[in-house]
């Protein structure tokens, strides 16, 4: 029993004392044993765990060796101590055997720890929480004896003991590697991330600097596990959907399935990610416990300040405890956030993967219920909602508990007056809810409406920019856009004022709650006094209360939105799939027996009683009228339709060419090879057979040219041929060709048939099923199937069918007669079409790539990069690149941008705002200081004097602060609106003043993005970020002033902390901005890929390329996540480090208050400490808002980008002496005129010299690319002269303003472009003509009857692009425009599209009569229209090769004669 004498704890020595200490015996037993017992007890279980999880051996590193050496030294010290005591202190041992046992136990434990380190190394465990906790326990337990021994005498052994233990702990931290290898401490403090932050600070991060994803975050890992689970679920739920159920029961099941699909998805995700998510939930519960402990400790600290006899060490104890609780609170909070974001990221990957895989197997009926946009939306918007849900879900149940706890503690302090606080809450938050509702209505109904209108108009302007320039209409449309913009800003201003009310009420909420509670508390009873404890603990609780109150409504709405998204995703993921057994692989070649097919299970059959047997290697032609089911037949063979009955067999691999060519946004070569390896000779043979070689010669980079989205820069015929080449390259067994020759010209079609499809083609030994409208190919088919209304009415060879005299024979005869008539025209058209092809290509090399529909040119947005003179030599390198991609910018945002933004606002407004902020914070400081003085008021006879006065002053100061907050937020909103109005105006003018070449090389998407997203960011995000940042910066200054008022000495601590803060912040902002940019840049390829896949799903399935596309999708999603993961970790890294800085302020305020106990009153201490508790929150908010501003100010940079691009000449020249009636004669003179599309390219027109007299009618003809259109572009100065001059009526057109020139001459353009708006606006946007003049022009253009029959007559609304008028009517409207302007010079660019003859005749006859006394230049594509002109100019390669009257030219038998002969005119 002697051993334990005196080991009981002595409270007089430990707690009720000025110099607390633990008994010697307690130090030598409990403190030594606790870590040892921990290690010995848990070691067996830990070893078992290691035994079960082997990650492969780790080689001995220097660090590991050092640990072992130090560990053995540490163990040996224990034995040394044992012998020392045995020899030197033998008398003491009689009393306490304990002293002898302790060092032995300690040494044995260290040896055990060393063994565990080795075991971990062998089993591949890099970071050990188990040992980390042991060392922490050992260090903490040796701190008390250390202090005691330092006080007794500097006992070296103990110091060394501690030193070695510390060195062991710190050794485990020297490894700033990513999370997998990070130590426990590094994981909880996110130190493993520091490496990337430093790298990002030194040089802007690039994609290759980012870490690869951890295995558990990759798409492959997540989805492969999830898919099995989901498929099982879906099968279980859908098993009974068989045909055994009666119809009603099936319908009910379907409805239930739709309802429960969202729940299925949720439960699947929960099973996969739930366990990890729960660890996060545990963290947030711990966080809450610590959060609520802090006010209790504050209460104890203030109690200590009031109690004059309390020993000082208790004060230090409370101060340190507060610091520790604050630190633990932040650690647990960020661990929770990290878990949530990781789960969110995995959920996003999972859902994207499931949706993508589903879109490859969904059947056509289900596919028709949702557009491509909706599917892409599921991936972008709905996954984002699910990610938000993961982060905010816990708030839904935690926030009410937190609110209840706050109110419970407030009740403890203030009794029933706490209810007054509840009442205030109940008033403030519904007000905010009401404002939010009103704002969203304003935003959705009004602001969005105008914004949509503005963007729609901008889209039309960008699409029809050429017409605007030809007609000099820019100003009219500028006014229209600005009209929309003003209305939009008006709505924005209203919304911002409402928002300011809500911000002011929220920021004043803590004051209002305090005012209500303290007021009621003081009024209820004179004996209720407010002392420091009550005041500041209540304030701390009120500050805690604000967070759950603001989170709750947000969490609830996020949850509701997520439920909707889950239901949508579930519905899509549960939709019907293609049945695998639709097509069976069998020895027969291609056969359908007694098949009936429909597009959906409920719909009418699209094919009935189909019986086909296709022998191997034969060519089958399928003919029939539009809608007779030809494409459906091919779909049935691919298994794309719903099989009602019968069986389909297809032998071997299949290649499919759809009717609408599907082209990927990749190079031509990638589109043709389509995932196979490139075989050079076969590849070239395929290109030759598909007539692609001439095209590739003229494409800027041959087959390495990138094709735009949906094949934008290819003509319809080229797309079709690339699509065919893809199929041919495959070397499949069965070819299903859905009218591949429809979009190509006749002669090209013949070439392809001969070289590819026909009996002598590349595919002669394959089975080919060809849907066609071309009659000329039918005699060469082995078998012809005639489809009528989904049934095969006749089948047989060409001769057989003709001899039967059935429907087919009639069809052929009627066709043959019309074909003979058309052959002459067709010949002309063929040459025209061939020439069109070359026109397209030569234009492309000149920098005018053309968006084509069919093979008709429709020069719209051209996509080549503008090359400055300095770049000339480098032209070939990026020729194949098509559009300028939006690049991720690098580095920090330049100060220039901030300067530009603030300069736009003006100093006169900025300085008052800063003063307003200072005033607002001054009021806040005043009411807080007033509160602390009130709390220090002496208590006389149990009451305080002048309570009413104090309450009034307190209230007044608070309300003044509220009004000031409202003032500042409104002022900043107004500034934001001023700036964004100006920036938008600059952007709009810069864009409209750009030359055509700018629009040809800048994708309209980029420009629209500037007008939509970037302007929106400048409207809302930048001012909001500035508001938040400024309010928190001033709040921080207020806290610092209060802490310094209480303890001026705190400056010594606050200044270094401020430097540390600035240091950490600058590191973070650089990295964060760059990560955000990288993430944004890597996001769009995901959606592009999705979009393509959904549209080309049938092609991908037919070629069996699903797995390759899934891999590609995985790769893109993973690439996006590699930048998303560090982005959210960066925020956590920053927050953890900053909160330690903030907690340092708490510690400083508390410790210094304790030190100055005698001079400081409890009130001022309460004020300082309760304010310092807010620092951590303030710091992280400053950084967040600063980063937001920094990220969004990039928009100013991007909007400003187009200020420096090349501009056109000025629109009008001041004081020009141009006569009002110019040009009154209409003579045009070209003097050695040359023109080029871009610097560095050869001239498109080479030294043209030409005189056009007044009233001349000149036709300009030539092969495509000869320079016909270039003449028109030169006259209108769309392109400026490279050499020479053009005179109109003797005036050099280069010397006058562009609008002066363009408004005095008229063009009727090739493609009739109309804008959305009234018909009158389309004819006369400036309102310069009277209604009578407009009507008479409509009458002459043969539109009067049509327009007068419209309900709104001239105010008839044209839809976007004039789509509610027919093509012919649109052309007549363009004619009416020309008739209305009636200028002396008319340029007529003939439409190449197949105009209906009637409209063409109308236009020609009107021009002949109405423009008789004008000079007319016609760029002719059909020669018959210019046979009666005074002169014809034949262009060839930029030169005039012939020029004379048509009759003379035909007599000369030159180029013009040959063209006429080809067209069948001579």
């Amino acid at each position: 029993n002697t051993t334990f004498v005196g080991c009981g704890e002595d409270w007089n020595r430990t707690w009720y004392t000025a110099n607390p200490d633990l008994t010697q015996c307690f130090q030598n037993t409990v403190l030594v044993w606790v870590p040892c017992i921990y290690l010995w007890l848990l070691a067996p279980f830990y070893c078992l765990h290691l035994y079960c999880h082997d990650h492969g051996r780790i080689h001995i590193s220097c660090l590991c060796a050092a640990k072992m050496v130090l560990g053995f030294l540490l163990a040996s010290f224990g034995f040394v101590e044992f012998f020392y005591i045995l020899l030197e202190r033998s008398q003491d041992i009689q009393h306490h055997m304990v002293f002898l046992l302790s060092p032995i136990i300690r040494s044995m434990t260290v040896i055990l720890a060393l063994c565990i380190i080795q075991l971990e190394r062998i089993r591949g465990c890099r970071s050990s929480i188990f040992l980390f906790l042991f060392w922490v326990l050992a260090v903490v337990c040796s701190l008390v004896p250390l202090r005691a021994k330092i006080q007794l005498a500097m006992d070296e052994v103990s110091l060394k003991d501690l030193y070695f233990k510390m060195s062991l702990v710190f050794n485990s931290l020297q490894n700033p590697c990513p999370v997998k290898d990070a130590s426990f401490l590094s994981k909880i403090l996110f130190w493993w991330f520091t490496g990337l932050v430093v790298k990002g600070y030194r040089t802007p991060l690039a994609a290759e600097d980012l870490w690869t994803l951890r295995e558990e975050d990759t798409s492959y890992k997540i989805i492969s596990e999830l898919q099995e689970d989901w498929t099982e679920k879906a099968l279980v739920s859908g098993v009974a959907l068989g045909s055994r159920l009666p119809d009603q029961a099936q319908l009910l099941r379907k409805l239930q399935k739709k309802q429960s699909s969202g729940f299925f998805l949720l439960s699947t995700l929960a099973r996969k990610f739930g366990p990890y998510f729960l660890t996060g939930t545990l963290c947030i519960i711990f966080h809450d416990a610590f959060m609520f402990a802090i006010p209790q400790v504050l209460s104890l600290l203030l109690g200590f300040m009031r109690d004059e006899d309390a020993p000082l060490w208790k004060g230090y104890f409370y101060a340190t405890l507060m610091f520790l609780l604050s630190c633990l609170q932040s650690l647990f909070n960020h661990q929770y956030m990290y878990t949530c974001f990781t789960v969110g990221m995995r959920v996003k990957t999972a859902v994207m993967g499931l949706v993508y895989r589903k879109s490859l197997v969904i059947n056509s009926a289900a596919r028709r219920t949702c557009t491509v946009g909706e599917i892409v939306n599921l991936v972008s918007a709905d996954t984002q909602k699910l990610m938000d849900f993961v982060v905010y879900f816990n708030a839904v149940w935690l926030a009410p508990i937190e609110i209840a706890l706050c109110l419970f503690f407030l009740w403890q302090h203030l009794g029933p007056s706490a209810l007054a606080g509840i009442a205030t809450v109940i008033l403030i938050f519904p007000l905010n809810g009401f404002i939010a509702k009103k704002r969203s209505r304003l935003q959705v109904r009004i602001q969005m409406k105008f914004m949509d209108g503005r963007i729609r108009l901008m889209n039309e302007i960008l699409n029809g920019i050429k017409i605007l320039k030809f007609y000099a209409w820019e100003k009219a449309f500028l006014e229209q856009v600005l009209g929309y913009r003003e209305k939009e800003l008006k709505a924005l201003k209203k919304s911002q004022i409402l928002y300011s009310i809500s911000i002011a009420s929220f920021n004043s909420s803590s004051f209002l709650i305090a005012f209500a509670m303290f007021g009621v508390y003081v009024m209820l009873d004179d004996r209720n006094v407010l002392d420091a404890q009550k005041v500041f603990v209540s304030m701390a609780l009120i500050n805690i209360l604000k967070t759950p109150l603001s989170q709750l409504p947000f969490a609830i709405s996020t949850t509701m939105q997520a439920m909707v998204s889950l239901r949508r995703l579930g519905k899509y993921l549960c939709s019907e799939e293609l049945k695998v057994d639709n097509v069976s692989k069998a020895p027969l070649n291609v056969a359908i027996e007694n098949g009936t097919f429909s597009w959906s299970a409920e719909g009418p059959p699209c094919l009935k009683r189909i019986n086909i047997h296709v022998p191997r290697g034969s060519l089958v032609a399928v003919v029939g009228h539009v809608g007779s089911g030809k494409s459906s037949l091919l779909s049935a063979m691919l298994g794309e339709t719903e099989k009602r009955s019968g069986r389909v067999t297809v032998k071997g691999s299949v290649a499919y060419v759809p009717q609408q060519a599907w082209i990927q946004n990749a190079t031509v070569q990638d589109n043709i090879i389509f995932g196979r390896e490139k075989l050079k000779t076969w590849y070239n043979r395929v290109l030759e057979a598909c007539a692609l070689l001439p095209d590739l010669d003229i494409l800027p980079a041959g087959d390495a040219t990138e094709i735009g989205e949906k094949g934008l820069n290819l003509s319809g015929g080229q797309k079709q041929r690339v699509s065919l080449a893809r199929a041919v390259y495959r070397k499949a067994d069965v070819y299903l060709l859905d009218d591949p020759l429809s979009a190509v010209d006749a002669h090209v079609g013949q070439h392809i048939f001969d070289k590819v499809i026909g009996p002598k083609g590349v595919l002669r030994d394959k089975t080919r099923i060809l849907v066609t409208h071309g009659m000329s190919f039918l005699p060469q088919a082995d078998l012809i199937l005639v489809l009528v209304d989904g049934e095969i009415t006749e089948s047989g060879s060409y001769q057989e069918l003709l001899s039967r005299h059935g429907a087919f024979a009639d069809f052929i005869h009627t066709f043959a007669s019309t074909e003979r008539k058309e052959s002459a025209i067709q010949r002309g058209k063929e040459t025209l079409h061939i020439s069109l092809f070359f026109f397209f290509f030569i234009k492309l090399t000149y920098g005018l790539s053309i968006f084509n529909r069919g093979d008709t040119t429709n020069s719209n947005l051209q996509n080549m990069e503008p090359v400055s003179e300095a770049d000339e030599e480098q032209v070939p390198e990026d020729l194949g690149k098509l559009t300028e991609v939006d690049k991720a910018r690098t580095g920090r945002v330049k100060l220039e941008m901030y300067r530009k933004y603030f300069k736009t606002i003006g100093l006169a407004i900025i300085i008052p705002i800063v003063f307003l902020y200072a005033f607002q914070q001054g009021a806040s400081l005043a009411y807080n200081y007033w509160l602390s003085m009130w709390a220090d008021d002496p208590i006389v006879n149990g009451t305080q004097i002048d309570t009413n006065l104090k309450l009034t002053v307190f209230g007044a100061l608070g309300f003044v602060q509220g009004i000031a907050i409202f003032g500042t937020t409104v002022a900043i909103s107004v500034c934001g609106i001023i700036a964004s109005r100006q920036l938008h105006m600059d952007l709009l003018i810069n864009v409209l003043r750009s030359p055509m070449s700018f629009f040809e090389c800048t994708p309209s998407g980029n420009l629209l993005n500037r007008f939509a997203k970037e302007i929106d960011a400048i409207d809302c995000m930048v001012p909001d970020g500035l508001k938040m940042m400024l309010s928190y910066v001033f709040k921080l200054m207020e806290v610092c002033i209060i802490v310094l008022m209480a303890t001026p000495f705190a400056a010594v601590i606050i200044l270094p902390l401020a430097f540390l803060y600035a240091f950490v912040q600058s590191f973070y902002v650089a990295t964060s901005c760059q990560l955000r940019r990288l993430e944004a840049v890597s996001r769009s390829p995901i959606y592009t890929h999705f979009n393509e896949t959904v549209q080309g799903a049938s092609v991908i399935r037919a070629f069996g390329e699903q797995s390759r596309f899934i891999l590609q999708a995985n790769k893109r999603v993973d690439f996006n996540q590699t930048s998303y993961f560090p982005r959210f970790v960066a925020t956590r890294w920053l927050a953890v480090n900053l909160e330690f800085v903030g907690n340092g302020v708490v510690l400083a305020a508390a410790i210094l208050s304790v030190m100055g106990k005698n001079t400081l009153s409890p009130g001022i201490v309460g004020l300082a400490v309760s304010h310092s508790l807010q620092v951590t929150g303030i710091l992280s908010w400053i950084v967040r808002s600063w980063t937001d501003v920094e990220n969004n100010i990039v928009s100013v940079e991007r909007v400003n980008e187009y200020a420096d691009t090349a501009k056109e000449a000025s629109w009008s020249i001041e004081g020009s002496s141009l006569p009002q009636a110019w040009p009154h004669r209409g003579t045009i003179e070209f003097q050695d005129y040359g023109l080029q599309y871009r610097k560095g390219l050869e001239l498109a027109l080479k030294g043209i010299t030409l005189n056009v007299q007044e009233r001349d009618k000149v036709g300009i003809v030539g092969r495509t690319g000869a320079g016909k259109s270039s003449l028109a572009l030169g006259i209108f100065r769309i392109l400026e002269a490279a050499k020479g001059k053009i005179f109109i009526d003797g005036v050099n057109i280069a010397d006058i303003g562009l609008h002066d020139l363009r408004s005095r001459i008229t063009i009727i353009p090739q493609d009739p472009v109309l804008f959305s708006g009234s018909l009158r606006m389309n004819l006369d946007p400036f309102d310069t003509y009277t209604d009578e003049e407009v009507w008479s022009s409509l009458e002459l253009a043969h539109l009067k009857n049509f327009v007068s029959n419209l309900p709104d007559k001239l105010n008839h609304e044209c839809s976007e692009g004039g789509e509610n008028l027919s093509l012919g009517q649109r052309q007549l409207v363009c004619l009416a425009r020309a008739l209305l302007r009636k200028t002396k010079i008319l340029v007529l660019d003939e439409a190449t599209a197949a105009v209906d003859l009637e409209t063409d005749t109308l236009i020609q006859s009107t021009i002949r009569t109405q423009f008789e006394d004008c000079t007319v230049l016609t760029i002719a594509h059909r020669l018959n229209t210019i046979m009666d002109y005074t002169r014809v100019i034949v262009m060839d390669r930029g030169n005039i090769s012939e020029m004379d009257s048509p009759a003379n030219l035909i007599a000369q038998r030159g180029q013009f004669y040959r063209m006429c002969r080809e067209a069948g005119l001579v």
Side-chain angles (χ1 to χ4, degrees), residues 739-1015:
D739 207 1
L741 307 176
S742 60
V744 298
D745 304 327
H747 68 285
V748 184
Q750 194 61 55
H751 168 97
I752 289 178
F753 188 81
D754 296 341
K755 293 282 183 132
V756 181
I757 305 168
K760 296 193 183 68
V762 183
L763 303 179
R764 53 185 173 273
D765 307 329
K766 311 283 186 184
T767 309
R768 293 140 296 161
I769 297 168
L770 171 72
V771 169
T772 182
H773 289 119
M775 296 300 138
S776 53
F777 310 132
L778 294 181
Q780 304 182 47
D782 303 320
L783 173 67
I784 298 173
L785 304 175
V786 183
L787 271 173
V788 178
D789 290 335
E791 290 193 56
I792 296 178
T793 51
E794 301 177 78
S795 67
S797 69
Y798 189 73
Q799 293 308 327
E800 283 171 23
L801 291 179
L802 274 184
S803 56
R804 284 188 203 157
H805 301 298
F808 179 75
D810 300 344
F811 188 51
I812 289 289
H813 289 310
T814 51
F815 236 91
S817 58
T818 53
E819 270 204 340
R820 266 197 303 280
K821 278 182 212 156
E822 281 185 358
S823 64
I825 301 170
Q826 181 63 35
R827 278 213 308 279
K829 264 184 123 170
E830 271 180 41
T831 55
L832 159 72
H833 272 305
I834 301 168
S835 53
L836 273 177
F837 256 84
F838 288 104
F839 169 58
F840 162 60
F841 286 126
I842 290 164
K843 276 290 164 73
L844 186 68
T845 38
Y846 279 137
L848 271 155
S849 105
I850 290 165
F851 284 26
N852 283 274
R853 308 213 173 21
D855 261 344
T856 57
T857 51
N858 157 11
S859 44
N860 187 336
L861 273 178
Q862 281 80 6
N863 286 333
M864 293 293 287
E865 310 215 350
V867 174
S868 66
E869 291 164 64
D871 293 351
E872 279 172 33
E873 300 75 53
Q874 302 161 350
V875 171
E877 278 185 21
D878 52 358
L879 266 179
K881 285 300 288 168
L882 177 74
T883 48
E884 294 185 352
V885 187
D886 256 1
K887 301 170 195 71
R889 302 186 153 265
T890 53
R892 290 288 294 272
V893 180
K894 298 186 195 70
L895 270 174
E896 191 54 44
M897 284 307 123
Y898 291 103
R899 267 225 296 284
K900 164 105 183 140
Y901 185 74
F902 290 124
K903 210 159 116 193
T904 324
I905 297 170
L907 257 183
I909 307 179
I910 293 175
I911 293 169
I913 286 184
V914 174
F915 277 119
L916 252 177
Y917 263 111
F919 174 69
Q920 161 200 326
Q921 232 45 57
S924 164
L925 196 138
Y927 92 71
N928 278 308
Y929 189 65
W930 183 258
L931 205 53
S932 78
M933 282 165 53
W934 184 354
D936 284 340
D937 231 30
I939 297 165
V940 186
N941 304 332
T943 61
Q944 284 171 322
I945 49 170
D946 292 343
T947 41
N948 290 358
L949 172 72
K950 286 170 183 156
L951 193 61
T952 317
V953 173
F954 176 55
L957 286 168
F959 280 111
V960 166
Q961 185 214 7
I963 289 161
I965 293 176
F966 175 69
T968 48
T969 44
V970 168
I972 284 197
S973 305
V974 172
C975 288
I977 287 172
I978 292 173
S980 68
R981 175 185 285 131
Q982 190 57 46
L983 288 166
H984 174 264
M985 180 99 117
D986 293 348
L987 172 68
L988 184 60
I989 290 171
N990 279 330
V991 167
L992 288 180
R993 292 243 5 255
S994 298
M996 261 326 282
S997 57
F998 168 79
F999 297 97
E1000 285 151 8
C1001 65
T1002 312
S1004 62
N1006 288 9
L1007 287 169
L1008 271 183
N1009 197 5
R1010 300 290 188 274
F1011 280 101
K1013 196 168 148 280
E1014 311 296 351
I1015 288 288

Side-chain angles (χ1 to χ4, degrees), residues 1299-1373:
H1299 280 185
D1300 297 336
L1301 167 70
R1302 292 170 185 170
S1303 59
R1304 311 284 182 93
I1305 52 181
T1306 307
I1307 187 166
I1308 299 179
Q1310 229 177 42
D1311 14 278
V1313 176
L1314 298 192
F1315 299 95
S1316 58
S1318 67
L1319 194 59
R1320 194 180 191 319
M1321 192 280 302
N1322 268 296
L1323 292 167
D1324 172 27
F1326 290 101
D1327 276 345
T1328 33
Y1329 302 96
T1330 61
D1331 277 8
E1332 289 72 42
E1333 290 172 305
V1334 173
W1335 276 111
S1336 76
S1337 74
L1338 285 172
E1339 185 172 11
L1340 293 170
H1342 311 278
L1343 276 172
K1344 188 172 183 181
N1345 290 346
F1346 166 69
V1347 177
S1348 49
N1349 288 334
L1350 292 170
D1352 297 335
K1353 310 234 178 338
L1354 283 177
N1355 293 326
H1356 171 71
E1357 275 294 315
C1358 301
S1359 62
E1360 193 169 338
E1363 278 163 12
N1364 53 356
L1365 299 179
S1366 73
L1367 185 70
Q1369 286 166 335
R1370 294 209 289 271
Q1371 270 163 332
L1372 293 174
V1373 170

Side-chain angles (χ1 to χ4, degrees), residues 15-18 303-315 1157-1158:
W15 190 251
Y16 303 108
T17 169
F304 156 81
M305 291 300 288
R306 218 180 34 205
D307 177 4
E308 283 161 20
D309 306 331
L312 265 184
W313 69 266
K314 277 191 185 171
K1157 182 183 176 191
N1158 304 328

